[in-house]
């Protein structure tokens, strides 16, 4: 059974004939000859209709609005280095698995030293020391799952 189809590719219309073969049917000729590709048949303009494409309009640029005077004030941002008795808390910047713990309590570290390696999405992410100091405590162990914001260690 031969079926005829009209196929449009890049706004060029092709007419294609397809023959359905039964299972177990064998080709009757022993030689095959390459068929010549049919030249594309241009479609009449009336049959080529583009689907409407929704257009998003950009929001008009406007100056940011000032916060109302009665709005409560946000808490101040945490400083980059907490001096004093508390020390600097190092937290997980992303969720993943603690692959390596490279420090221990009492160890001296310098700014830029690798403290931990977190495996997330098959990538190893190194966590660096933000300052010089001594590791006061380590709150995670290798193999543990960590979430964003979990305490990893404290540097004094």
């Amino acid at each position: 059974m031969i079926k005829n189809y009209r196929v449009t590719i890049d706004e060029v219309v092709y007419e294609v004939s397809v023959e359905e073969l039964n299972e177990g049917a064998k080709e009757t000729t022993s030689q095959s000859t390459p068929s010549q590709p049919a030249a594309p048949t241009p479609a009449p303009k009336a049959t080529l209709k583009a689907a409407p494409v929704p257009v998003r309009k950009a929001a008009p640029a406007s100056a940011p609005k000032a916060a109302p005077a009665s709005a409560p004030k946000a808490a101040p941002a945490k400083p980059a280095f907490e001096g004093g008795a508390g020390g600097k808390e190092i937290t997980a910047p992303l969720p993943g698995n603690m692959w390596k713990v490279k420090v221990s309590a009492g160890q001296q570290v310098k700014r830029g030293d690798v403290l931990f390696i977190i495996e997330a999405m098959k990538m190893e992410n190194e966590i660096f020391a933000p300052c010089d100091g001594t590791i006061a405590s380590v709150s995670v162990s290798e193999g543990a799952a960590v979430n964003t914001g979990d305490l990893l260690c404290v540097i004094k």
Side-chain angles (χ1 to χ4, degrees), residues 56-130:
R56 290 187 179 183
K57 294 183 180 180
S62 62
K65 296 180 181 178
S70 62
K73 293 186 178 181
K78 201 174 194 180
F81 177 72
E82 296 176 6
K88 172 71 176 159
E89 292 182 349
I90 308 301
T91 58
L94 73 164
N97 292 317
M98 184 56 62
W99 189 64
K100 291 278 184 189
V101 176
K102 306 275 243 172
V103 293
S104 59
Q107 181 178 340
Q108 293 284 331
V109 294
K110 296 202 179 283
R111 182 177 188 202
D113 288 350
V114 177
L115 304 175
F116 304 97
I117 300 176
I118 296 176
E119 184 271 327
M121 295 175 45
K122 306 214 182 234
M123 297 281 298
E124 296 174 8
N125 301 281
E126 296 178 327
I127 310 303
F128 300 99

Side-chain angles (χ1 to χ4, degrees), residues 26-94:
K26 294 185 179 181
E27 192 173 328
T28 57
T29 60
S30 61
Q31 294 181 355
S32 63
T33 58
S35 61
Q36 297 295 324
T41 306
K45 293 289 182 184
T47 61
L48 291 178
K49 289 186 178 180
V53 177
V55 177
R56 290 187 179 183
K57 294 183 180 180
S62 62
K65 296 180 181 178
S70 62
K73 293 186 178 181
K78 201 174 194 180
F81 177 72
E82 296 176 6
K88 172 71 176 159
E89 292 182 349
I90 308 301
T91 58
L94 73 164

